[in-house]
Amino acid sequence: MKKLVVGNWKMHGSRAFNAELINGLKAADLGATAPRASVAVCPPFVYLGEVAAALQGSGIAVGSQDVSVQAQGAYTGEVAGPMLSDLGVKYAIVGHSERRSYHTESDQLVADKAKAALAHGLTPIVCVGETLAEREADQTEAVVARQLQAVIDTLGGDLSRIVVAYEPVWAIGTGKTASPEQAQAVHAFLRARLTAASASAASVPLLYGGSVKPDNAAQLFAQPDIDGGLIGGAALKAADFAAIARAA
Ligand code: PGA
């Protein structure tokens, strides 16, 4: 399967910072990785239009970090799927652990957001992952299965156009990466759940996220069920992000 490497800028950036980062990414010629890996970046909403315009022709796609379940209306502060597709946005991250914890997003809300993204021509990147306490209590599979099941139930048979990102919460921004074996084990579990739910899910890309860096990316991406990465901190440095994309 072709790899997918996505940068999640989170709430970082400014117009000047973004311009410099984009120049660095363009200079790294990530379009050249195109036969092996697709690359995308997910800036904050306010910069999406500008970043999408700046990346035109570079071969790097743009994604959002969230999307509303509503298509339009009186929902102050929300951003709707049609607005994102209107800007040329391709992906929408949904259910990132920071949104699940700081914004108390439920499994069902995340699933509804995935459905809304699909309805408006966006590819949802559905994040799942366990906390350290859950891993230590041997709950990893139960937690990711529950998070994934809401999406499976809500989307019905139509699983062919989603991306799933396994992001163990304890590995996000902590410098503690899941070992390639730990990540592979959960990815194989997710793959099995997806294919059991629908034949159309066999080709769903499964990304790993959580302290992916240039020096651990190749080993992670070499695992049979790891189809790419969702990159946080390292996506803010052009050289690091480019190195990770090249590792794919
Ligand atoms: P990190 O973040 O690479 O900084 O750990 C990953 C993510 O949260 O998507």
Side-chain angles (χ1 to χ4, degrees):
M1 189 185 305
K2 190 170 172 177
K3 300 278 196 229
L4 172 61
V5 176
V6 180
N8 173 12
W9 294 3
K10 308 195 179 185
M11 199 170 72
H12 293 288
S14 64
R15 297 179 77 191
F17 177 91
N18 302 346
E20 201 176 313
L21 180 53
I22 288 166
N23 282 341
L25 295 178
K26 282 180 165 168
D29 193 18
L30 289 183
T33 64
R36 287 174 293 114
S38 305
V39 178
V41 296
C42 303
F45 280 127
V46 285
Y47 299 125
L48 274 169
E50 204 166 78
V51 169
L55 286 174
Q56 211 139 53
S58 69
I60 302 172
V62 172
S64 63
Q65 298 174 16
D66 188 23
V67 61
S68 174
V69 293
Q70 309 292 344
Q72 66 163 347
Y75 302 100
T76 302
E78 291 284 279
V79 177
M83 299 172 180
L84 298 169
S85 4
D86 191 28
L87 289 181
V89 170
K90 183 162 179 198
Y91 299 97
I93 297 172
V94 298
H96 190 281
S97 63
E98 287 149 19
R99 295 212 58 89
R100 289 182 190 262
S101 68
Y102 305 143
H103 302 270
T104 57
E105 293 198 0
S106 65
D107 295 337
Q108 188 56 53
L109 179 66
V110 171
D112 289 339
K113 287 183 171 188
K115 188 172 184 174
L118 284 172
H120 303 299
L122 304 163
T123 299
I125 301 176
V126 181
C127 301
V128 299
E130 83 287 3
T131 63
L132 185 57
E134 288 163 341
R135 173 162 282 265
E136 286 173 346
D138 240 348
Q139 290 298 303
T140 299
E141 290 191 350
V143 169
V144 298
R146 189 200 72 222
Q147 293 170 332
L148 187 63
Q149 195 60 42
V151 176
I152 291 170
D153 292 343
T154 300
L155 299 186
D158 182 19
L159 296 173
S160 63
R161 291 181 299 129
I162 68 169
V163 173
V164 173
Y166 169 56
E167 297 207 306
V169 178
W170 49 271
I172 294 175
T174 58
K176 287 189 199 131
T177 322
S179 69
E181 296 72 27
Q182 280 175 322
Q184 165 57 27
V186 179
H187 280 232
F189 175 77
L190 292 169
R191 181 90 71 207
R193 301 287 295 200
L194 282 164
T195 42
S198 160
S200 71
S203 59
V204 167
L206 298 181
L207 312 185
Y208 169 78
S211 298
V212 179
K213 307 284 177 219
D215 61 0
N216 61 24
Q219 258 194 312
L220 287 160
F221 297 163
Q223 301 301 311
D225 290 299
I226 300 184
D227 305 314
L230 183 53
I231 321 301
L236 298 172
K237 293 180 197 136
D240 285 4
F241 189 62
I244 292 168
R246 276 195 215 96

